[in-house]
Amino acid sequence: MSLSTLKNKRERGFLDGQFLIAMPGMEDQNFNRTVIYICAHSAAGAMGFVINRAQNLTFTDVLLHLEMIKDDDAILLPAVARDFPIQTGGPVESGRGFVLHSDDYISDSSIPVSDDISLTATLDIVRAISKGGGPKRATMLLGYAGWGAGQLEAEIGNNGWLNCPANEELIFDRSLDDKYERALALMGISAAMLSPHAGHC
């Protein structure tokens, strides 16, 4: 599923607003020990963002790359902009930035993904953040995770993922190192309890 599909989406799938938590046997190293927030799920596929993988870039780097500021202006950025989190959202369109944020900021290009969370992928929100404005809670993600029709359901059926309702606090929490364990804890599960092998009767 692509961003354009998300914009035109009408139906809600059972994984909308859910966390996907990678099982230990996950073969795709892009998703080893990841927690993914699913923004859209339908018969056409699914789209979401990894919320526990760091990115080496800073928000200042992004502004410089976009030529929104010059080197000399970087020190003048508000603290909230200098400290704004950048994460790796997934392997699809990894050079493209998406801002997942609370719904107190809405522009014409914002897409609601839940009652409380929206997604904006245009420069207006980047400008707002660079000036100390924008949403109260947000993170920028480079790239996203996407699945075609039936692909994610098959991966879940093959013991690739656990899923549970998403937790907004965890989505925007900046402490990434133990987010995988904390996501599992939402289900009352410890990582030590998980087996990489599927069980079948």
Side-chain angles (χ1 to χ4, degrees):
M1 179 180 284
S2 66
L3 184 62
S4 60
T5 308
L6 176 58
K7 288 178 183 175
N8 300 317
K9 185 172 136 51
R10 296 287 181 269
E11 61 179 301
R12 286 180 63 85
F14 71 91
L15 291 171
D16 271 314
Q18 294 265 316
F19 280 155
L20 288 182
I21 306 169
M23 288 289 283
M26 173 62 66
E27 294 179 2
D28 188 337
Q29 290 304 302
N30 287 312
F31 299 119
N32 182 43
R33 288 178 57 83
T34 57
V35 181
I36 295 178
Y37 174 58
I38 294 295
C39 293
H41 173 234
S42 71
M47 175 188 181
F49 296 94
V50 176
I51 61 164
N52 67 325
R53 187 152 288 172
Q55 173 62 240
N56 292 327
L57 293 175
T58 67
F59 190 66
T60 302
D61 293 331
V62 171
L63 294 176
L64 289 168
H65 175 74
L66 294 172
E67 299 182 350
M68 296 178 74
I69 63 169
K70 296 180 180 177
D71 284 328
D72 295 343
D73 299 327
I75 197 168
L76 303 175
L77 288 170
V80 66
R82 288 196 307 272
D83 297 334
F84 191 76
I86 310 289
Q87 297 177 34
T88 298
V92 183
E93 293 191 58
S94 58
R96 185 173 182 185
F98 303 85
V99 180
L100 200 58
H101 58 89
S102 50
D103 64 356
D104 53 327
Y105 174 94
I106 296 292
S107 73
D108 291 341
S109 57
S110 297
I111 304 168
V113 295
S114 76
D115 292 340
D116 306 307
I117 297 175
S118 295
L119 177 69
T120 305
T122 51
L123 292 180
D124 52 354
I125 194 169
V126 177
R127 288 192 188 94
I129 293 165
S130 71
K131 295 174 182 176
K136 183 164 62 171
R137 309 184 78 178
T139 187
M140 177 177 276
L141 301 130
L142 299 183
Y144 65 92
W147 293 265
Q151 184 182 0
L152 181 53
E153 292 86 343
E155 290 180 10
I156 291 172
N158 288 327
N159 202 42
W161 303 97
L162 295 172
N163 64 284
C164 70
N167 175 289
E168 185 177 340
E169 292 293 321
L170 204 59
I171 291 171
F172 295 115
D173 192 316
R174 296 190 181 194
S175 178
L176 304 183
D177 289 346
D178 64 344
K179 196 175 278 194
Y180 180 76
E181 286 77 13
R182 287 184 289 141
L184 286 172
L186 295 174
M187 303 177 70
I189 294 174
S190 163
M193 298 166 55
L194 296 177
S195 167
H197 307 292
H200 300 284
C201 299

